[in-house]
Amino acid sequence: MNATEMPTSQDAGIEEAFGRPLAELYAQAAAGTAVPGVQQVLELRSFLAVVEDQAAKARDRIHQATGPAADPQAVPLADLRFRTDLLEAALEVGAKYRRALQDLVRTGPGRSSPAPRRPVQFDQSKIAEVFGPGGGVTAQRPAPAPPLTSPRVSRPCGASRSPSSSSRPRPTMLAALLKLRSDTDLAERHITALRDRIHQLTQPGQAIGELTFTARHLLDAAQRLSVAVTARNAHLAAATAVLDGLRRRETPPAEAPPAALPTQPAQAHALPVR
């Protein structure tokens, strides 16, 4: 699609400023009969159209990757980081193009000169409080801060500072597995909540100009999602290692003892008869 056919967030302001539709303005610029300032405005608009189109594609790709149809166990972190960085860059460049285009349209034909700034007004009541009745300046010293005191913790006489080793529960492999399962479940809930948040922030219906205000929230959610996925994978790896250590190995069958050699009966020696 050509840049002249791509919609932008500033089309209504341009048409209102020059009193012509965009197609007619582009035709006048191509024929060389446009009023002064139209060529620069249309050139900036073409740049803005390309940038906003790239931002919309990155937003839609992120929205699709974090939707309900995506696999909840497989989060495309590499693609998500790339699309988020691309969206951030496109929104930053688009904001600069929009400001430049608004300034150029504001000074175009049919627009009045900018309104003069209002004179600065001081609050006389506050000035009267600072200056005394005779015109002298009264020094205002801040109230002294309360002294920093650390509360003392009372301990009954004879009580030990740290619990004895006998009162502490002894860690077991079952407790370690239950702890890893709890941490994995917590990370999974964080991943689900962050995916839903990113999916909500990248709704295709909103304008690109409005998305600029939620860009920081989107970047923060993407970074938190990366941390949650890394923690989930670490917990799963640790649980797998513990289970592998507890798995009983098959013992080889016991070797049969060697068969005893057959014993031959001893032959009786006949004594000679005298």
Side-chain angles (χ1 to χ4, degrees):
M1 183 183 295
N2 193 1
T4 59
E5 302 175 358
M6 298 179 183
T8 67
S9 59
Q10 305 299 316
D11 292 346
I14 296 174
E15 291 178 352
E16 181 183 359
F18 294 97
R20 297 285 188 277
L22 286 174
E24 185 175 348
L25 291 177
Y26 274 106
Q28 291 178 0
T33 59
V35 296
V38 172
Q39 188 68 31
Q40 291 81 1
V41 169
L42 295 181
E43 184 177 356
L44 273 177
R45 184 204 171 273
S46 300
F47 294 155
L48 179 63
V50 175
V51 172
E52 289 187 348
D53 181 69
Q54 293 296 327
K57 290 180 179 178
R59 177 201 60 191
D60 296 342
R61 185 65 178 269
I62 295 173
H63 186 77
Q64 182 182 2
T66 55
D71 187 6
Q73 300 295 332
V75 181
L77 288 180
D79 185 73
L80 185 61
R81 291 194 191 100
F82 173 74
R83 299 297 171 182
T84 307
D85 294 340
L86 179 61
L87 179 60
E88 181 187 14
L91 291 176
E92 183 178 357
V93 176
K96 295 180 180 180
Y97 279 143
R98 278 189 293 271
R99 286 194 297 267
L101 188 58
Q102 290 172 0
D103 294 341
L104 190 59
V105 169
R106 190 180 299 113
T107 58
R111 290 292 180 178
S112 59
S113 58
R117 297 183 179 180
R118 298 178 58 183
V120 181
Q121 297 180 357
F122 297 97
D123 192 352
Q124 300 296 334
S125 60
K126 294 184 178 180
I127 296 178
E129 294 178 359
V130 178
F131 290 90
V137 180
T138 58
Q140 296 180 351
R141 298 181 179 179
L148 298 177
T149 58
S150 58
R152 299 183 60 184
V153 180
S154 60
R155 185 183 298 109
C157 183
S160 58
R161 294 181 178 271
S162 60
S164 59
S165 58
S166 60
S167 62
R168 296 178 181 176
R170 299 180 61 185
T172 60
M173 300 300 289
L174 178 60
L177 284 175
L178 293 178
K179 182 64 169 57
L180 288 173
R181 183 187 181 280
S182 176
D183 294 341
T184 304
D185 184 63
L186 181 60
E188 290 287 354
R189 290 199 298 268
H190 284 172
I191 291 173
T192 303
L194 291 170
R195 283 167 61 100
D196 295 342
R197 178 61 175 167
I198 294 175
H199 188 73
Q200 181 183 4
L201 291 174
T202 55
Q203 292 292 337
Q206 58 182 335
I208 297 299
E210 299 176 357
L211 185 61
T212 306
F213 299 99
T214 60
R216 292 199 173 275
H217 301 281
L218 178 62
L219 294 175
D220 180 71
Q223 293 175 358
R224 291 176 181 271
L225 179 61
S226 177
V227 173
V229 171
T230 304
R232 190 271 310 271
N233 296 339
H235 296 326
L236 289 177
T240 304
V242 173
L243 291 176
D244 289 342
L246 293 177
R247 186 177 294 113
R248 296 179 179 179
R249 298 180 180 180
E250 297 181 358
T251 57
E255 297 180 358
L261 297 177
T263 57
Q264 297 180 357
Q267 297 180 358
H269 296 279
L271 297 176
V273 181
R274 292 181 180 178

